[in-house]
mmCIF file of all heavy atoms in Angstrom:
data_model
loop_
_atom_site.group_PDB
_atom_site.id
_atom_site.type_symbol
_atom_site.label_atom_id
_atom_site.label_comp_id
_atom_site.label_asym_id
_atom_site.label_seq_id
_atom_site.Cartn_x
_atom_site.Cartn_y
_atom_site.Cartn_z
ATOM 1 N N ALA O 143 36.451 47.820 22.469
ATOM 2 C CA ALA O 143 37.355 48.946 22.215
ATOM 3 C C ALA O 143 38.621 48.858 23.019
ATOM 4 O O ALA O 143 39.704 49.282 22.575
ATOM 5 C CB ALA O 143 36.644 50.258 22.494
ATOM 6 N N LEU O 144 38.563 48.266 24.203
ATOM 7 C CA LEU O 144 39.749 48.136 25.053
ATOM 8 C C LEU O 144 40.762 47.145 24.451
ATOM 9 O O LEU O 144 41.957 47.256 24.717
ATOM 10 C CB LEU O 144 39.366 47.701 26.445
ATOM 11 C CG LEU O 144 38.605 48.721 27.275
ATOM 12 C CD1 LEU O 144 38.237 48.116 28.628
ATOM 13 C CD2 LEU O 144 39.419 49.983 27.475
ATOM 14 N N SER O 145 40.294 46.199 23.626
ATOM 15 C CA SER O 145 41.234 45.263 23.032
ATOM 16 C C SER O 145 42.154 45.953 22.029
ATOM 17 O O SER O 145 43.187 45.425 21.661
ATOM 18 C CB SER O 145 40.488 44.112 22.353
ATOM 19 O OG SER O 145 39.750 44.570 21.241
ATOM 20 N N GLN O 146 41.827 47.159 21.609
ATOM 21 C CA GLN O 146 42.651 47.891 20.667
ATOM 22 C C GLN O 146 43.775 48.653 21.359
ATOM 23 O O GLN O 146 44.724 49.083 20.705
ATOM 24 C CB GLN O 146 41.774 48.894 19.883
ATOM 25 C CG GLN O 146 40.586 48.288 19.170
ATOM 26 C CD GLN O 146 40.977 47.196 18.169
ATOM 27 O OE1 GLN O 146 41.976 47.363 17.462
ATOM 28 N NE2 GLN O 146 40.238 46.119 18.156
ATOM 29 N N ILE O 147 43.698 48.818 22.640
ATOM 30 C CA ILE O 147 44.707 49.553 23.381
ATOM 31 C C ILE O 147 45.938 48.654 23.552
ATOM 32 O O ILE O 147 45.855 47.516 23.984
ATOM 33 C CB ILE O 147 44.185 49.990 24.786
ATOM 34 C CG1 ILE O 147 43.020 50.926 24.615
ATOM 35 C CG2 ILE O 147 45.301 50.632 25.589
ATOM 36 C CD1 ILE O 147 42.333 51.323 25.902
ATOM 37 N N LYS O 148 47.070 49.163 23.198
ATOM 38 C CA LYS O 148 48.301 48.400 23.319
ATOM 39 C C LYS O 148 48.965 48.732 24.643
ATOM 40 O O LYS O 148 49.019 49.861 25.078
ATOM 41 C CB LYS O 148 49.245 48.758 22.175
ATOM 42 C CG LYS O 148 48.638 48.456 20.822
ATOM 43 C CD LYS O 148 49.725 48.157 19.833
ATOM 44 C CE LYS O 148 49.142 47.982 18.477
ATOM 45 N NZ LYS O 148 48.930 46.641 18.105
ATOM 46 N N THR O 149 49.448 47.685 25.284
ATOM 47 C CA THR O 149 50.159 47.895 26.529
ATOM 48 C C THR O 149 51.646 48.124 26.258
ATOM 49 O O THR O 149 52.147 47.827 25.164
ATOM 50 C CB THR O 149 49.994 46.676 27.440
ATOM 51 O OG1 THR O 149 50.580 45.540 26.811
ATOM 52 C CG2 THR O 149 48.536 46.409 27.758
ATOM 53 N N SER O 150 52.338 48.599 27.217
ATOM 54 C CA SER O 150 53.784 48.882 27.040
ATOM 55 C C SER O 150 54.571 47.583 26.874
ATOM 56 O O SER O 150 55.646 47.590 26.288
ATOM 57 C CB SER O 150 54.310 49.669 28.233
ATOM 58 O OG SER O 150 54.138 48.915 29.428
ATOM 59 N N GLU O 151 54.063 46.465 27.318
ATOM 60 C CA GLU O 151 54.754 45.176 27.149
ATOM 61 C C GLU O 151 54.678 44.671 25.751
ATOM 62 O O GLU O 151 55.466 43.856 25.317
ATOM 63 C CB GLU O 151 54.181 44.144 28.125
ATOM 64 C CG GLU O 151 54.449 44.483 29.575
ATOM 65 C CD GLU O 151 53.768 43.498 30.508
ATOM 66 O OE1 GLU O 151 53.253 42.486 30.039
ATOM 67 O OE2 GLU O 151 53.740 43.782 31.713
ATOM 68 N N GLU O 152 53.721 45.094 24.969
ATOM 69 C CA GLU O 152 53.548 44.623 23.598
ATOM 70 C C GLU O 152 54.508 45.367 22.746
ATOM 71 O O GLU O 152 54.963 45.234 21.768
ATOM 72 C CB GLU O 152 52.119 44.813 23.128
ATOM 73 C CG GLU O 152 51.155 43.915 23.862
ATOM 74 C CD GLU O 152 49.725 44.106 23.415
ATOM 75 O OE1 GLU O 152 49.495 44.100 22.200
ATOM 76 O OE2 GLU O 152 48.859 44.285 24.254
#
Side-chain angles (χ1 to χ4, degrees):
L144 292 177
S145 67
Q146 305 302 319
I147 297 175
K148 300 208 184 262
T149 62
S150 60
E151 295 175 10
E152 292 180 49

